[in-house]
Amino acid sequence: MDGYTSSELVSIFAMQGFAGISLFSVLLLMALGLAIIFGQMGVINMAHGEFMAVGAYTTYFMATLTETYFPAFMPYYFVFAIVVAFFVSGILGYLAEFALIRHLYKRPLDTLLATWGLSLIMQQSFRSLFGAREVSPTLPEWLLGSYQPTDMIDIPLNGMFVLGLTAVVTLAVYYLMFKSRWGLRVRATTQNRVMSDAVGINTKKVDRYTFALGCGIAGIAGAAFTTIASTGPTTGTLYIVDTFMVVVFGGAASLFGTIASAFSIAQAQSILEFFISGSMAKVYTLLALVLILMFKPEGLFASKVRR
Amino acid sequence: MSFVYEKIMGGKKGLIGFIILAALILVIFPLFLDSFRLNLVGKYLTYAFAAVSLVLLWGYGGILSLGQGIFFGLGGYAMAMFLKLEASSPENTAIQSTPGIPDFMDWNQLTELPWFWEPFTSFTFTILAILIVPAAFAYLIGSAMFKRRVGGVYFAIITQVIAVILTVLIVGQQGLTGGINGITDLRTLNGWDITSDSAKNIFYFINAALLLMVILASRVVLTSKFGRILLAVRDKEDRVRFSGYDVANFKIFVFCFAAMISAIGGAMFTLQVGFMSPSFVGIVPSIEMVIFAAVGGRMSLIGAVYGTLLINFGKTTFSESFPEMWLFLIGGLFIAVVMLFPNGLAGLWDDYGHHITNKLRFIAKGFSKLVPQSMLRKVEDAR
């Protein structure tokens, strides 16, 4: 740490830490959807990144529409875009489950191949609909700008907004999965499908809505993603491995584990990035994760189950 | 002899399949394709090594590795490093500020050869490295995972992450690895010009012969007692474990064997194509290799070769004429393979192939009724 004064170091940590929090928010939003789909249902959804891209493109589409037809609505469209992104991705997820996933519940490794095929089709659709170059929506005024607690620290507002959004979504997921009747049915179905069927739970319906919910949350992640980076047809692929890593590292069925692992991965990467190159930061972060997973194959916060 | 016939060739059916494949790649392709297309097929056949390795690992072992690109890349890079050092002799690189080191190192202000490049001046070492380094790496990963009973989905994800780590590392360490461009501009192998058409043809035949040998070797492994235990592990791992076998060792062995096969493919790729880059190491190529095996049939070593050829031919023809259709097509194919014919082309043949042969036999029977019985008797007698 030579060459930096202590106050500089504090600012670096604050700034990089906050950059890490933006990454954490998107990773967590992505991972929440995947934790439901992979952690609860056991489906390896390689198209999850593309469902996020659907959310991002929906936001872009809404922004363009608003800009052209109702410029006066610009300050408020983003909130609606989040909701629309949730529903568009969710409905697509519902259809994907109906057409594809439901036939493959007994063959988890095959869901990987089928959803990889789905992701290729979705990528090409983005390219055909929106072009190959990256796009980013015009953000409302109130999301730009930044907050400056000291001279050296500069915290962008969009990051704070995304953080708030993440908190809301996480709480909603927590309530849905662990406090509501519906969540009870989901957990019952995933733990013992036959028994759940026997006690009168419509397990097929539960599966379909669970998958749709996971994809819908990916759509929200996509809307949030547009505030920090631009979206291209292959954006989803870039994030899918990281997201799987978050879910696996945290312990597939544990909500707290997912949060903790998204936070540690994002922070490790973001802070390391300042001191060594970005690519090496990623290498070290992932390497550390693989090593830890070798000692704790079930993830950091796996629920203890007898198997 | 009967051992060879039954075990390695797989009886009559296996022998016929093998002969057809050998005739196709050793005789028919070289006769009917110009040297450009033949070189393309040669490139596809190097991927087929990886696909065959996945049949062993995934079809028979039940272990889905999404990291065969790692081993393909290790083999390919080992060969590329040797060729690059040969291409950067002090005379050839006299214009550099430090002559005698590969050009990309010079661009990245390196003044001496990194230590791990040093031994690659030896051809023998390179060949050993192609076989041993990937196997050793696979042993490390395999023993760390299988001994702790990490399997299935988790294994797939972790191998995928390792593939990402390796790609990022190669791309990031430009001075040591050539970065995103990879190791290019390879010219000679022990003084022999590898860019000429005749050299490429020779590599094609070496490549095809090696592939056939790898298929035979895999058959030996699969028909041995080891192969049968491997199948048992795939189907009921716990039961095999309770019978007193160390399940992990079987998985580690097949993982190392598969890694070695993929690495041979990678090394042949470098020779055939003349360069190696990180785009053959990461997630996308690794998943594509799984698809080759899946389309060909995850339970068929020969099917994997056909799957590889078919997909790559399709990719080349389609992406030339309808670039935007190709992804839709291949995506749809993935889905169709998984949902409609999980055993791939080989499975289709098994399901419908005997239908065709039965029909032929039926027609032949009909014909035999038309032929006077006395003539048939003569044929019988002659036998």
Side-chain angles (χ1 to χ4, degrees), chain B residues 204-361:
Chain B
Y204 174 85
F205 283 107
I206 296 176
N207 192 7
L210 273 176
L211 181 63
L212 294 172
M213 271 154 61
V214 161
I215 291 176
L216 292 185
S218 308
R219 278 189 177 169
V220 175
V221 169
L222 288 180
T223 45
S224 65
K225 187 181 171 208
F226 171 87
R228 276 173 284 143
I229 297 173
L230 189 68
L231 266 182
V233 170
R234 182 195 69 184
D235 292 338
K236 266 272 181 294
E237 184 170 336
D238 285 339
R239 203 171 278 188
V240 180
R241 187 178 289 129
F242 296 150
S243 308
Y245 291 100
D246 189 345
V247 171
N249 284 339
F250 286 89
K251 291 179 158 185
I252 294 169
F253 176 81
V254 73
F255 190 46
C256 293
F257 188 62
M260 208 186 267
I261 296 177
S262 306
I264 296 174
M268 287 312 296
F269 176 88
T270 305
L271 286 175
Q272 188 88 33
V273 182
F275 74 97
M276 186 71 212
S277 89
S279 56
F280 303 100
V281 179
I283 313 175
V284 176
S286 300
I287 291 190
E288 278 183 343
M289 289 163 189
V290 175
I291 298 307
F292 302 155
V295 169
R298 65 182 77 165
M299 298 300 287
S300 165
L301 295 165
I302 286 181
V305 180
Y306 289 118
T308 314
L309 288 176
L310 191 78
I311 301 250
N312 282 296
F313 265 127
K315 191 173 187 172
T316 314
T317 18
F318 267 97
S319 50
E320 272 167 12
S321 32
F322 314 101
E324 67 285 351
M325 278 302 288
W326 169 246
L327 275 185
F328 284 132
L329 219 100
I330 185 100
L333 186 65
F334 284 24
I335 294 173
V337 166
V338 171
M339 310 251 306
L340 305 176
F341 45 108
N343 287 324
L345 291 175
L348 270 186
W349 174 254
D350 285 344
D351 291 346
Y352 300 103
H354 66 94
H355 230 67
I356 301 168
T357 45
N358 277 350
K359 227 169 215 160
L360 286 176
R361 216 169 279 152

Side-chain angles (χ1 to χ4, degrees), chain A residues 136-151:
Chain A
S136 38
T138 317
L139 292 175
E141 293 283 325
W142 50 269
L143 266 180
L144 308 170
S146 60
Y147 166 70
Q148 278 184 309
T150 72
D151 282 349

Side-chain angles (χ1 to χ4, degrees), chain B residues 104-256:
Chain B
F104 59 82
M105 291 184 186
D106 194 55
W107 301 332
N108 285 286
Q109 277 95 42
L110 261 70
T111 49
E112 58 181 320
L113 207 58
W115 60 269
F116 66 91
W117 276 73
E118 293 284 358
F120 283 93
T121 45
S122 150
F123 187 61
T124 328
F125 177 87
T126 307
I127 297 293
L128 287 177
I130 289 168
L131 298 173
I132 294 170
V133 171
F137 193 49
Y139 180 81
L140 260 179
I141 301 174
S143 52
M145 310 266 277
F146 298 132
K147 294 273 184 202
R148 294 191 173 79
R149 298 188 193 176
V150 181
V153 176
Y154 289 86
F155 183 78
I157 292 172
I158 290 180
T159 47
Q160 190 171 46
V161 173
I162 295 173
V164 172
I165 294 176
L166 201 66
T167 327
V168 176
L169 201 61
I170 292 173
V171 174
Q173 295 298 310
Q174 211 171 21
L176 303 178
T177 60
I180 190 108
N181 299 318
I183 301 181
T184 53
D185 210 12
L186 308 173
R187 293 183 204 127
T188 53
L189 174 69
N190 290 328
W192 175 42
D193 183 10
I194 60 166
T195 52
S196 68
D197 274 355
S198 68
K200 284 189 172 168
N201 278 346
I202 292 172
F203 284 135
Y204 174 85
F205 283 107
I206 296 176
N207 192 7
L210 273 176
L211 181 63
L212 294 172
M213 271 154 61
V214 161
I215 291 176
L216 292 185
S218 308
R219 278 189 177 169
V220 175
V221 169
L222 288 180
T223 45
S224 65
K225 187 181 171 208
F226 171 87
R228 276 173 284 143
I229 297 173
L230 189 68
L231 266 182
V233 170
R234 182 195 69 184
D235 292 338
K236 266 272 181 294
E237 184 170 336
D238 285 339
R239 203 171 278 188
V240 180
R241 187 178 289 129
F242 296 150
S243 308
Y245 291 100
D246 189 345
V247 171
N249 284 339
F250 286 89
K251 291 179 158 185
I252 294 169
F253 176 81
V254 73
F255 190 46
C256 293

Side-chain angles (χ1 to χ4, degrees), chain A residues 26-294:
Chain A
V26 173
L27 271 186
L28 180 56
L29 281 175
M30 283 272 284
L32 279 177
L34 203 64
I36 295 173
I37 291 172
F38 174 64
Q40 298 287 340
M41 304 172 75
V43 173
I44 313 176
N45 184 16
M46 291 301 280
H48 199 71
E50 275 65 37
F51 283 104
M52 177 187 100
V54 166
Y57 275 117
T58 308
T59 313
Y60 169 72
F61 185 67
M62 294 271 292
T64 323
L65 218 63
T66 317
E67 219 172 1
T68 333
Y69 298 105
F70 323 98
F73 194 58
M74 266 320 266
Y76 317 104
Y77 90 92
F78 197 75
V79 180
F80 289 89
I82 293 170
V83 179
V84 176
F86 173 78
F87 280 103
V88 172
S89 295
I91 289 168
L92 282 178
Y94 183 94
L95 294 176
E97 203 276 351
F98 180 74
L100 205 65
I101 311 291
R102 69 184 168 129
H103 306 289
L104 301 172
Y105 283 121
K106 284 186 182 138
R107 299 184 279 158
L109 286 179
D110 283 358
T111 58
L112 188 155
L113 296 184
T115 50
W116 180 259
L118 181 66
S119 85
L120 290 185
I121 292 176
M122 289 170 81
Q123 272 176 38
Q124 187 55 49
S125 316
F126 300 147
R127 206 166 283 136
S128 306
L129 288 172
F130 296 96
R133 70 192 173 81
E134 301 207 327
V135 296
S136 38
T138 317
L139 292 175
E141 293 283 325
W142 50 269
L143 266 180
L144 308 170
S146 60
Y147 166 70
Q148 278 184 309
T150 72
D151 282 349
M152 272 181 286
I153 302 177
D154 188 35
I155 291 170
L157 283 178
N158 55 17
M160 286 165 85
F161 175 76
V162 173
L163 185 64
L165 178 67
T166 309
V168 172
V169 174
T170 310
L171 284 175
V173 167
Y174 173 77
Y175 176 80
L176 258 177
M177 295 302 290
F178 297 101
K179 297 286 166 204
S180 75
R181 250 192 124 61
W182 185 78
L184 195 63
R185 289 200 192 105
V186 174
R187 285 178 294 137
T189 305
T190 49
Q191 274 173 20
N192 194 334
R193 187 170 297 272
V194 181
M195 187 62 82
S196 314
D197 250 334
V199 296
I201 296 174
N202 185 347
T203 53
K204 284 185 179 160
K205 197 171 149 193
V206 168
D207 284 333
R208 202 154 301 156
Y209 281 100
T210 315
F211 194 82
L213 176 74
C215 293
I217 296 172
I220 298 183
F225 180 78
T226 57
T227 63
I228 43 182
S230 54
T231 315
T234 53
T235 298
T237 322
L238 294 177
Y239 279 81
I240 188 71
V241 174
D242 289 3
T243 314
F244 263 110
M245 227 30 208
V246 169
V247 176
V248 170
F249 185 58
S254 155
L255 183 69
F256 176 69
T258 307
I259 299 172
S261 91
F263 187 77
S264 44
I265 291 175
Q267 289 302 338
Q269 186 158 333
S270 170
I271 290 178
L272 276 177
E273 225 161 62
F274 190 83
F275 296 103
I276 49 181
S277 70
S279 64
M280 287 314 281
K282 186 154 187 158
V283 167
Y284 285 132
T285 314
L286 289 178
L287 208 58
L289 292 185
V290 169
L291 289 179
I292 295 173
L293 278 179
M294 283 179 179

